[in-house]
Short mmCIF file of all heavy atoms in Angstrom, two decimals:
data_model
loop_
_atom_site.label_atom_id
_atom_site.label_comp_id
_atom_site.label_asym_id
_atom_site.label_seq_id
_atom_site.Cartn_x
_atom_site.Cartn_y
_atom_site.Cartn_z
N ALA E 1 64.93 35.10 -52.85
CA ALA E 1 64.63 36.12 -53.85
C ALA E 1 63.48 36.99 -53.38
O ALA E 1 62.54 36.51 -52.74
CB ALA E 1 64.28 35.47 -55.18
N ASP E 2 63.55 38.28 -53.71
CA ASP E 2 62.55 39.22 -53.22
C ASP E 2 61.34 39.36 -54.13
O ASP E 2 60.34 40.00 -53.76
CB ASP E 2 63.17 40.60 -52.97
CG ASP E 2 63.82 41.19 -54.23
OD1 ASP E 2 63.70 40.58 -55.31
OD2 ASP E 2 64.45 42.25 -54.11
N SER E 3 61.38 38.77 -55.34
CA SER E 3 60.23 38.86 -56.24
C SER E 3 60.32 37.76 -57.28
O SER E 3 61.41 37.26 -57.60
CB SER E 3 60.17 40.22 -56.94
OG SER E 3 61.21 40.34 -57.91
N VAL E 4 59.17 37.42 -57.85
CA VAL E 4 59.17 36.40 -58.91
C VAL E 4 59.85 36.94 -60.16
O VAL E 4 60.47 36.17 -60.91
CB VAL E 4 57.73 35.93 -59.21
CG1 VAL E 4 57.10 35.29 -57.99
CG2 VAL E 4 56.86 37.05 -59.76
N GLU E 5 59.75 38.26 -60.41
CA GLU E 5 60.43 38.85 -61.57
C GLU E 5 61.94 38.65 -61.47
O GLU E 5 62.60 38.33 -62.46
CB GLU E 5 60.13 40.35 -61.70
CG GLU E 5 58.66 40.68 -61.92
CD GLU E 5 58.00 41.14 -60.63
OE1 GLU E 5 58.18 40.46 -59.59
OE2 GLU E 5 57.32 42.17 -60.67
N THR E 6 62.47 38.85 -60.26
CA THR E 6 63.90 38.68 -60.04
C THR E 6 64.34 37.26 -60.39
O THR E 6 65.38 37.05 -61.02
CB THR E 6 64.25 39.00 -58.57
OG1 THR E 6 63.93 40.36 -58.29
CG2 THR E 6 65.73 38.77 -58.30
N VAL E 7 63.54 36.28 -59.99
CA VAL E 7 63.89 34.89 -60.25
C VAL E 7 63.88 34.58 -61.74
O VAL E 7 64.81 33.95 -62.27
CB VAL E 7 62.93 33.94 -59.49
CG1 VAL E 7 63.25 32.49 -59.82
CG2 VAL E 7 63.03 34.16 -58.00
N LEU E 8 62.85 35.01 -62.45
CA LEU E 8 62.77 34.72 -63.88
C LEU E 8 63.89 35.42 -64.65
O LEU E 8 64.47 34.84 -65.58
CB LEU E 8 61.41 35.15 -64.43
CG LEU E 8 60.20 34.32 -63.98
CD1 LEU E 8 58.93 34.86 -64.60
CD2 LEU E 8 60.37 32.85 -64.33
N ALA E 9 64.22 36.63 -64.27
CA ALA E 9 65.31 37.34 -64.94
C ALA E 9 66.65 36.67 -64.67
O ALA E 9 67.51 36.56 -65.56
CB ALA E 9 65.34 38.80 -64.48
N TRP E 10 66.83 36.19 -63.45
CA TRP E 10 68.08 35.51 -63.08
C TRP E 10 68.23 34.18 -63.80
O TRP E 10 69.31 33.83 -64.28
CB TRP E 10 68.09 35.30 -61.57
CG TRP E 10 69.01 34.22 -61.09
CD1 TRP E 10 70.37 34.30 -60.94
CD2 TRP E 10 68.64 32.89 -60.67
NE1 TRP E 10 70.87 33.10 -60.47
CE2 TRP E 10 69.83 32.23 -60.29
CE3 TRP E 10 67.43 32.22 -60.58
CZ2 TRP E 10 69.82 30.91 -59.83
CZ3 TRP E 10 67.43 30.92 -60.12
CH2 TRP E 10 68.61 30.27 -59.75
N ALA E 11 67.16 33.43 -63.89
CA ALA E 11 67.24 32.06 -64.43
C ALA E 11 67.60 32.06 -65.91
O ALA E 11 68.34 31.19 -66.38
CB ALA E 11 65.93 31.33 -64.20
N GLY E 12 67.07 32.99 -66.67
CA GLY E 12 67.35 33.04 -68.10
C GLY E 12 66.72 31.92 -68.89
O GLY E 12 67.09 31.68 -70.04
N THR E 13 65.78 31.21 -68.27
CA THR E 13 65.07 30.12 -68.94
C THR E 13 63.69 30.01 -68.31
O THR E 13 63.52 30.40 -67.15
CB THR E 13 65.84 28.79 -68.79
OG1 THR E 13 65.28 27.80 -69.64
CG2 THR E 13 65.80 28.28 -67.35
N PRO E 14 62.69 29.53 -69.04
CA PRO E 14 61.36 29.40 -68.43
C PRO E 14 61.39 28.49 -67.21
O PRO E 14 62.06 27.46 -67.19
CB PRO E 14 60.52 28.79 -69.56
CG PRO E 14 61.21 29.22 -70.82
CD PRO E 14 62.67 29.19 -70.47
N LEU E 15 60.65 28.88 -66.18
CA LEU E 15 60.61 28.13 -64.93
C LEU E 15 59.18 27.74 -64.59
O LEU E 15 58.23 28.44 -64.92
CB LEU E 15 61.17 28.96 -63.77
CG LEU E 15 62.65 29.34 -63.82
CD1 LEU E 15 63.01 30.13 -62.56
CD2 LEU E 15 63.55 28.14 -63.97
N ALA E 16 59.06 26.63 -63.89
CA ALA E 16 57.77 26.20 -63.37
C ALA E 16 57.41 27.00 -62.12
O ALA E 16 58.28 27.55 -61.44
CB ALA E 16 57.81 24.71 -63.03
N THR E 17 56.13 27.03 -61.82
CA THR E 17 55.67 27.72 -60.61
C THR E 17 56.40 27.20 -59.37
O THR E 17 56.83 27.97 -58.51
CB THR E 17 54.16 27.53 -60.43
OG1 THR E 17 53.48 27.98 -61.60
CG2 THR E 17 53.65 28.28 -59.22
N ALA E 18 56.55 25.87 -59.29
CA ALA E 18 57.19 25.28 -58.11
C ALA E 18 58.63 25.73 -57.97
O ALA E 18 59.13 25.90 -56.85
CB ALA E 18 57.12 23.74 -58.19
N GLU E 19 59.33 25.93 -59.07
CA GLU E 19 60.72 26.37 -59.00
C GLU E 19 60.81 27.80 -58.50
O GLU E 19 61.64 28.14 -57.65
CB GLU E 19 61.35 26.25 -60.38
CG GLU E 19 61.49 24.81 -60.84
CD GLU E 19 62.01 24.70 -62.27
OE1 GLU E 19 61.34 25.19 -63.20
OE2 GLU E 19 63.09 24.10 -62.45
N VAL E 20 59.96 28.67 -59.03
CA VAL E 20 59.94 30.06 -58.58
C VAL E 20 59.58 30.14 -57.09
O VAL E 20 60.20 30.87 -56.32
CB VAL E 20 58.97 30.89 -59.42
CG1 VAL E 20 58.88 32.32 -58.90
CG2 VAL E 20 59.39 30.89 -60.89
N ALA E 21 58.58 29.36 -56.70
CA ALA E 21 58.16 29.35 -55.30
C ALA E 21 59.29 28.92 -54.38
O ALA E 21 59.50 29.51 -53.30
CB ALA E 21 56.96 28.42 -55.13
N GLU E 22 60.05 27.91 -54.78
CA GLU E 22 61.15 27.41 -53.94
C GLU E 22 62.24 28.46 -53.77
O GLU E 22 62.77 28.65 -52.67
CB GLU E 22 61.73 26.14 -54.57
CG GLU E 22 62.74 25.42 -53.70
CD GLU E 22 62.15 24.79 -52.45
OE1 GLU E 22 60.97 24.38 -52.48
OE2 GLU E 22 62.86 24.72 -51.43
N VAL E 23 62.58 29.16 -54.84
CA VAL E 23 63.63 30.17 -54.75
C VAL E 23 63.17 31.36 -53.92
O VAL E 23 63.95 31.95 -53.18
CB VAL E 23 64.07 30.61 -56.16
CG1 VAL E 23 65.09 31.74 -56.07
CG2 VAL E 23 64.68 29.43 -56.92
N CYS E 24 61.89 31.73 -54.05
CA CYS E 24 61.35 32.85 -53.27
C CYS E 24 60.97 32.43 -51.84
O CYS E 24 60.68 33.30 -51.00
CB CYS E 24 60.11 33.42 -53.96
SG CYS E 24 60.45 34.30 -55.49
N GLU E 25 60.92 31.13 -51.59
CA GLU E 25 60.49 30.58 -50.30
C GLU E 25 59.07 31.04 -49.95
O GLU E 25 58.79 31.53 -48.85
CB GLU E 25 61.49 30.95 -49.19
CG GLU E 25 62.88 30.38 -49.43
CD GLU E 25 63.87 30.69 -48.32
OE1 GLU E 25 63.44 30.77 -47.16
OE2 GLU E 25 65.06 30.86 -48.63
N ILE E 26 58.18 30.88 -50.93
CA ILE E 26 56.76 31.17 -50.76
C ILE E 26 55.97 29.97 -51.25
O ILE E 26 56.53 29.03 -51.83
CB ILE E 26 56.33 32.44 -51.52
CG1 ILE E 26 56.60 32.29 -53.03
CG2 ILE E 26 57.05 33.67 -50.97
CD1 ILE E 26 56.16 33.49 -53.87
N SER E 27 54.66 29.97 -51.03
CA SER E 27 53.84 28.85 -51.47
C SER E 27 53.67 28.87 -52.99
O SER E 27 53.83 29.92 -53.64
CB SER E 27 52.46 28.92 -50.82
OG SER E 27 51.70 30.01 -51.36
N ARG E 28 53.35 27.70 -53.56
CA ARG E 28 53.10 27.65 -55.00
C ARG E 28 51.90 28.52 -55.37
O ARG E 28 51.90 29.16 -56.43
CB ARG E 28 52.88 26.20 -55.44
CG ARG E 28 54.13 25.34 -55.35
CD ARG E 28 54.06 24.12 -56.25
NE ARG E 28 53.01 23.20 -55.92
CZ ARG E 28 53.16 22.11 -55.17
NH1 ARG E 28 54.33 21.86 -54.61
NH2 ARG E 28 52.15 21.29 -54.94
N GLY E 29 50.88 28.56 -54.52
CA GLY E 29 49.73 29.40 -54.81
C GLY E 29 50.08 30.87 -54.88
O GLY E 29 49.65 31.58 -55.81
N ASP E 30 50.88 31.35 -53.92
CA ASP E 30 51.30 32.75 -53.94
C ASP E 30 52.19 33.03 -55.15
O ASP E 30 52.06 34.08 -55.80
CB ASP E 30 52.07 33.09 -52.66
CG ASP E 30 51.15 33.23 -51.45
OD1 ASP E 30 49.93 33.31 -51.64
OD2 ASP E 30 51.68 33.25 -50.32
N ALA E 31 53.08 32.09 -55.46
CA ALA E 31 53.96 32.29 -56.62
C ALA E 31 53.16 32.37 -57.91
O ALA E 31 53.41 33.23 -58.76
CB ALA E 31 54.98 31.16 -56.70
N ARG E 32 52.18 31.48 -58.05
CA ARG E 32 51.38 31.48 -59.27
C ARG E 32 50.60 32.78 -59.42
O ARG E 32 50.51 33.34 -60.52
CB ARG E 32 50.44 30.27 -59.27
CG ARG E 32 49.69 30.11 -60.58
CD ARG E 32 49.00 28.76 -60.70
NE ARG E 32 48.38 28.68 -62.00
CZ ARG E 32 48.99 28.36 -63.14
NH1 ARG E 32 50.27 28.08 -63.12
NH2 ARG E 32 48.35 28.33 -64.28
N GLU E 33 50.05 33.28 -58.32
CA GLU E 33 49.31 34.54 -58.39
C GLU E 33 50.23 35.69 -58.82
O GLU E 33 49.88 36.51 -59.68
CB GLU E 33 48.67 34.86 -57.04
CG GLU E 33 47.87 36.15 -57.05
CD GLU E 33 47.19 36.43 -55.73
OE1 GLU E 33 47.18 35.54 -54.85
OE2 GLU E 33 46.64 37.54 -55.59
N GLN E 34 51.43 35.74 -58.23
CA GLN E 34 52.36 36.81 -58.57
C GLN E 34 52.88 36.67 -60.00
O GLN E 34 53.04 37.67 -60.72
CB GLN E 34 53.51 36.82 -57.57
CG GLN E 34 53.09 37.18 -56.16
CD GLN E 34 54.22 37.07 -55.15
OE1 GLN E 34 55.38 37.32 -55.48
NE2 GLN E 34 53.90 36.67 -53.92
N LEU E 35 53.15 35.45 -60.43
CA LEU E 35 53.61 35.23 -61.79
C LEU E 35 52.57 35.66 -62.82
O LEU E 35 52.90 36.20 -63.88
CB LEU E 35 53.96 33.74 -61.98
CG LEU E 35 55.27 33.29 -61.33
CD1 LEU E 35 55.31 31.77 -61.23
CD2 LEU E 35 56.47 33.80 -62.12
N GLY E 36 51.30 35.42 -62.50
CA GLY E 36 50.23 35.79 -63.41
C GLY E 36 50.17 37.27 -63.70
O GLY E 36 49.62 37.69 -64.73
N ARG E 37 50.75 38.09 -62.83
CA ARG E 37 50.73 39.54 -63.02
C ARG E 37 51.86 40.03 -63.92
O ARG E 37 51.77 41.12 -64.49
CB ARG E 37 50.84 40.24 -61.67
CG ARG E 37 49.73 39.93 -60.68
CD ARG E 37 49.87 40.79 -59.42
NE ARG E 37 48.91 40.38 -58.39
CZ ARG E 37 49.23 39.98 -57.18
NH1 ARG E 37 50.52 39.93 -56.82
NH2 ARG E 37 48.31 39.63 -56.31
N VAL E 38 52.95 39.25 -64.02
CA VAL E 38 54.15 39.79 -64.68
C VAL E 38 54.73 38.89 -65.76
O VAL E 38 55.68 39.28 -66.44
CB VAL E 38 55.26 40.06 -63.63
CG1 VAL E 38 54.80 41.09 -62.61
CG2 VAL E 38 55.70 38.77 -62.94
N ALA E 39 54.17 37.69 -65.93
CA ALA E 39 54.81 36.72 -66.83
C ALA E 39 53.77 36.00 -67.68
O ALA E 39 52.57 36.01 -67.39
CB ALA E 39 55.62 35.70 -66.02
N HIS E 40 54.27 35.39 -68.76
CA HIS E 40 53.43 34.56 -69.63
C HIS E 40 53.71 33.09 -69.33
O HIS E 40 54.85 32.71 -69.06
CB HIS E 40 53.75 34.83 -71.11
CG HIS E 40 53.41 36.21 -71.55
ND1 HIS E 40 52.14 36.75 -71.46
CD2 HIS E 40 54.19 37.19 -72.10
CE1 HIS E 40 52.15 37.97 -71.94
NE2 HIS E 40 53.37 38.28 -72.32
N GLU E 41 52.68 32.26 -69.42
CA GLU E 41 52.80 30.84 -69.11
C GLU E 41 52.61 30.00 -70.36
O GLU E 41 51.67 30.21 -71.12
CB GLU E 41 51.75 30.43 -68.07
CG GLU E 41 51.79 28.96 -67.69
CD GLU E 41 50.63 28.56 -66.79
OE1 GLU E 41 49.58 29.23 -66.84
OE2 GLU E 41 50.78 27.57 -66.05
N ARG E 42 53.53 29.04 -70.57
CA ARG E 42 53.30 27.99 -71.56
C ARG E 42 52.75 26.80 -70.81
O ARG E 42 53.45 26.15 -70.05
CB ARG E 42 54.60 27.61 -72.29
CG ARG E 42 54.37 26.55 -73.38
CD ARG E 42 55.63 26.25 -74.16
NE ARG E 42 56.61 25.51 -73.39
CZ ARG E 42 56.61 24.18 -73.21
NH1 ARG E 42 55.62 23.44 -73.73
NH2 ARG E 42 57.56 23.60 -72.51
N HIS E 43 51.48 26.54 -71.01
CA HIS E 43 50.78 25.55 -70.21
C HIS E 43 51.25 24.13 -70.53
O HIS E 43 51.36 23.74 -71.68
CB HIS E 43 49.27 25.65 -70.47
CG HIS E 43 48.45 24.78 -69.58
ND1 HIS E 43 48.18 25.09 -68.27
CD2 HIS E 43 47.84 23.59 -69.81
CE1 HIS E 43 47.44 24.14 -67.74
NE2 HIS E 43 47.22 23.22 -68.64
N VAL E 44 51.54 23.36 -69.48
CA VAL E 44 51.88 21.94 -69.59
C VAL E 44 51.25 21.23 -68.40
O VAL E 44 51.47 21.61 -67.25
CB VAL E 44 53.40 21.69 -69.58
CG1 VAL E 44 53.69 20.18 -69.57
CG2 VAL E 44 54.07 22.34 -70.77
N GLY E 45 50.44 20.21 -68.66
CA GLY E 45 49.81 19.49 -67.58
C GLY E 45 48.95 20.42 -66.74
O GLY E 45 48.17 21.20 -67.26
#
């Protein structure tokens, strides 16, 4: 996937940082930073 927005729109359900990172083939840290710009988080653990 070319962006975290693309992954969230495709999934149609809330995703964890690790899931988005795996689909984008990027690190969890990079995914979390990018997600923080475009998405809302329901915090768990």
